[in-house]
Amino acid sequence: MSLSIRNQLPGTVTAIAPGEVMATVKVHLDSGQDLTAAITLDAVEDLGLAEGTGVTALVKATEISLATAPISGLSIRNQLPGTVTGIATGGAMASVKIAVEGGVLTAAITRDATNDLALAPGMPVVALVKATEVALTTA
């Protein structure tokens, strides 16, 4: 299946913590980093997820925020360090490519944000993704 979601990160489920309606699913990415997804219990069951299940984590470019350094005291579970490799700007928005360990992410942020952060190729950044914005799929 082809998807318009640019950020597709393969990995393996390492833990599932079920709640009443939602579950947090820990995924060890093939790139060596860890990611947390918060999905419904129905989705866990429908996908047949268990420890060891191969998955692909999907994150829309519009759901990635950028910081110029790691941030502590933040509820966002996923902080992936990387380096800006390219920026394409339009009138209001910008597409920022970030090389992370084992792959490339795309973040869609405002043009003003790229200016405020003084983003440029070669600059280190941290991609921030809320666990609720990570979708999972199986092969």
Side-chain angles (χ1 to χ4, degrees), residues 66-104:
L66 298 177
T68 56
I71 302 173
S72 62
L74 187 66
S75 67
I76 296 175
R77 299 292 82 197
N78 303 302
Q79 296 192 32
L80 304 171
T83 304
V84 174
T85 59
I87 302 171
T89 57
M93 297 296 292
S95 177
V96 182
K97 299 278 188 195
I98 305 113
V100 296
E101 186 175 332
V104 175

Side-chain angles (χ1 to χ4, degrees), residues 34 58 69:
D34 293 308
L58 306 170

Side-chain angles (χ1 to χ4, degrees), residues 24-25 35-39 75-78 129-135:
T24 56
V25 180
L35 196 68
T36 300
I39 62 175
S75 67
I76 296 175
R77 299 292 82 197
N78 303 302
V129 184
K130 290 178 64 173
T132 53
E133 302 305 329
V134 177

Side-chain angles (χ1 to χ4, degrees), residues 8 13 28 33 45 60 63 70 79 84 103 125:
Q8 301 181 26
V13 173
H28 185 71
Q33 300 181 54
E45 292 174 13
K60 290 175 58 177
E63 300 304 333
Q79 296 192 32
V84 174
V125 293

